Amino acid sequence: MRELPVANSKHMTDPYPANFLTEPSDLPTPRYSRGATGPTNFYAPGARDLLPLDVAQKRWVEKRIQDVFHRWGYHRIITSTLERLETLIAGGAVDRDSVIQIPAIDGGTLGLRPELTASIARAAVARMGDIYPQRLYYNANVFLKSDLEHHGRQQEFYQAGIELLGIGGIRADVEAILLMIDCLTSLAVPNWQIILGEAGLSRALLAQFPSEFQTQIRQCLAHLDRVTLEQIPLTPQQQELALCLLDLRGNPALVLTKLAQLQLDAHSQATISHLQMVVDLLTTTTNAQIPLILDLSLIQTFDYYTGIVFEAVSITADRAHILGKGGRYDKLLALYHPQGQNFPGIGFALNIEDLQQVLQANPAMPRYTAKPDWLVVAVTSTATAAALSYAHQLRATPELVRVEMYLDDGNLAQIRQIAIDRGTARIAWVSDEEVKVEELGAE
């Protein structure tokens, strides 16, 4: 008989600890196996395993987000993890070099999706007809290729998000933002803020600079890089405007007042009016005050969004966590439509890992994996069939019951201690003659 370990009963331990948010430098030293051709490293660069507690916390977050999506009338869509590279980069949202690429059997190139919008746009226009609006949501993994400088950095991430397709206008913009806010409040995310921008307006403001400097200025604004911005050889008037754009962030009323003082064309003035109405609706349609920041430097480094853009940020003691991003893209769907017909769209993605990190202090977040309701023990070898049958009866109940069979040999005291350490609620001691149920009183 194999000797069984006896754990300390004073401290119930989780048999499945978490490796949540482990940095590559914190991972154990890679183990190697010496094969016929030399040592083999079993750790894939950029990979991260989710242990049972990680999964329990991840599913806790995802379930609450999914419930919000359902309440708003959204339906889940699942698209392929692999897409043709041309599909992923068509809208200008994804740089070719950032995609993990795989050769296709037809000679083309496939890519692991770095985001979901392109895949959903392709599926919607090609397979779902022209019945709009479409309210779709997803919960999936995405892949971001790490560069040589950051070899080993995590490359697989999890996101949950929505796409509202085929409808434009203020109401759709406000719905997407309020839906994101509903997710944050349902999760009880601490110290969150919504940062709101307007890609079309920012692009119009950038057009006032010499074309040879626009990309560099855009990069500086996107990364809030004042030092580099001040070094760009602009005229004093252009330099003043560039720094003004960098500082166009803060209280919506104050930022809108500054915008009104700029010399802008009629289209930009109409965009500002749209932005004003979005801000007004956001601040008047909920009971609680929305922590809203208007930021005209909130522009991406690619030509993906055409209108409203927004981010969800949580401010913690150590840093600001970007929990999600979204925006309006009114020219994307035409790229995938067989006849080139265009439909507006808006959506956002929430980063599950970042949400898990900021929610670690939430008392509702799972701290242990689910504990067994039953441990069924065959007291003798001849009682094995009876024990298996009893376990089957317990699992057949309509409600979820977690039933484990004790598969090893051991004395009763050892088995009882193991059950206590694992948080098991009760033990069924099954003999040839009877079943004795012992309540352990585990919570």
Side-chain angles (χ1 to χ4, degrees):
M1 180 179 72
R2 181 166 59 89
E3 185 67 21
L4 299 176
V6 180
N8 186 347
S9 61
K10 294 182 180 179
H11 302 284
M12 186 180 71
T13 58
D14 195 318
Y16 304 112
N19 72 342
F20 175 64
L21 293 175
T22 302
E23 295 293 334
S25 59
D26 298 329
L27 292 173
T29 302
R31 287 171 29 182
Y32 293 84
S33 173
R34 181 164 297 280
T37 58
T40 301
N41 183 359
F42 293 117
Y43 287 86
R48 182 171 67 90
D49 301 317
L50 296 183
L51 304 184
L53 182 55
D54 300 320
V55 175
Q57 294 185 349
K58 174 175 176 289
R59 292 188 64 181
W60 184 89
V61 172
E62 292 171 340
K63 173 65 166 57
R64 279 148 184 79
I65 294 174
Q66 179 179 272
D67 289 345
V68 174
F69 292 163
H70 287 169
R71 287 197 294 268
W72 285 70
Y74 284 71
H75 301 272
R76 186 172 185 181
I77 184 171
I78 299 176
T79 60
S80 175
T81 304
L82 280 173
E83 292 277 3
R84 288 197 175 275
L85 183 60
E86 292 77 9
T87 299
L88 299 175
I89 66 176
V94 175
D95 179 44
R96 178 186 295 267
D97 294 335
S98 69
V99 179
I100 300 175
Q101 301 177 26
I102 301 172
I105 59 175
D106 62 0
T109 303
L110 303 177
L112 293 173
R113 61 190 178 205
E115 52 91 46
L116 270 293
T117 301
S119 298
I120 293 175
R122 171 197 55 75
V125 300
R127 303 190 60 191
M128 299 183 70
D130 295 339
I131 301 175
Y132 293 100
Q134 293 280 358
R135 287 181 169 89
L136 305 173
Y137 82 87
Y138 57 87
N139 182 9
N141 54 351
V142 295
F143 302 85
L144 296 176
K145 182 180 179 181
S146 60
D147 54 33
L148 293 177
E149 182 180 352
H150 300 99
H151 180 71
R153 176 175 289 181
Q154 183 178 341
Q155 298 187 98
E156 183 179 8
F157 304 86
Y158 294 90
Q159 293 183 344
I162 62 100
E163 309 294 346
L164 175 54
L165 305 179
I167 188 79
I170 294 172
R171 294 174 182 173
D173 289 348
V174 172
E175 173 170 319
I177 299 170
L178 288 178
L179 177 48
M180 175 183 273
I181 291 172
D182 200 357
C183 290
L184 300 176
T185 54
S186 295
L187 288 167
V189 172
N191 304 319
W192 59 268
Q193 297 176 342
I194 296 294
I195 303 176
L196 180 65
E198 223 295 339
L201 181 59
S202 298
R203 196 172 290 115
L205 294 170
L206 281 171
Q208 301 184 47
F209 296 97
S211 58
E212 63 267 27
F213 298 130
Q214 288 180 14
T215 299
Q216 188 177 5
I217 294 171
R218 186 175 189 173
Q219 294 276 355
C220 290
L221 294 177
H223 296 99
L224 301 178
D225 187 354
R226 179 180 291 271
V227 173
T228 303
L229 187 62
E230 290 176 339
Q231 296 173 354
I232 299 175
L234 301 172
T235 66
Q237 184 179 5
Q238 292 169 347
Q239 186 68 247
E240 182 181 359
L241 177 59
L243 294 176
C244 176
L245 296 183
L246 188 66
D247 295 331
L248 280 175
R249 69 188 316 269
N251 181 280
L254 297 178
V255 174
L256 289 168
T257 299
K258 291 180 181 179
L259 281 172
Q261 298 171 359
L262 300 178
Q263 299 297 321
L264 301 173
D265 58 25
H267 179 74
S268 296
Q269 293 289 353
T271 302
I272 294 173
S273 297
H274 178 99
L275 191 58
Q276 176 72 69
M277 287 185 282
V278 169
V279 170
D280 290 343
L281 283 173
L282 288 174
T283 55
T284 58
T285 56
T286 59
N287 295 328
Q289 183 177 2
I290 295 175
L292 184 64
I293 295 174
L294 191 55
D295 184 0
L296 269 296
S297 68
L298 182 63
I299 55 178
Q300 304 297 332
T301 57
F302 42 71
D303 294 324
Y304 189 96
Y305 295 117
T306 59
I308 290 290
V309 290
F310 50 96
E311 289 183 352
V313 178
S314 177
I315 309 298
T316 61
D318 57 340
R319 65 186 178 96
H321 301 261
I322 298 178
L323 305 179
K325 296 182 179 183
R328 173 160 292 284
Y329 47 90
D330 285 349
K331 298 180 180 179
L332 181 64
L333 273 67
L335 299 175
Y336 305 108
H337 195 278
Q339 287 78 44
Q341 187 175 354
N342 196 29
F343 299 94
I346 187 171
F348 67 79
L350 293 169
N351 306 318
I352 301 301
E353 284 97 340
D354 290 295
L355 284 168
Q356 281 183 253
Q357 185 170 1
V358 301
L359 290 170
Q360 286 302 302
N362 188 326
M365 175 75 83
R367 295 288 174 250
Y368 302 96
T369 54
K371 304 308 175 188
D373 298 299
W374 289 87
L375 178 64
V376 178
V377 181
V379 176
T380 64
S381 59
T382 57
T384 299
L388 290 168
S389 177
Y390 189 76
H392 175 73
Q393 294 176 38
L394 293 173
R395 297 186 186 108
T397 56
E399 67 276 7
L400 174 62
V401 179
R402 298 180 183 273
V403 182
E404 294 184 356
M405 275 287 297
Y406 190 77
L407 304 176
D408 208 343
D409 298 320
N411 64 56
L412 301 189
Q414 289 176 319
I415 295 172
R416 182 180 292 105
Q417 189 61 62
I418 290 172
I420 291 172
D421 291 338
R422 289 176 59 83
T424 307
R426 57 192 64 84
I427 302 176
W429 304 99
V430 182
S431 65
D432 294 320
E433 297 80 20
E434 60 180 349
V435 176
K436 291 184 177 180
V437 176
E438 179 180 354
E439 298 284 346
L440 298 180
E443 296 181 357

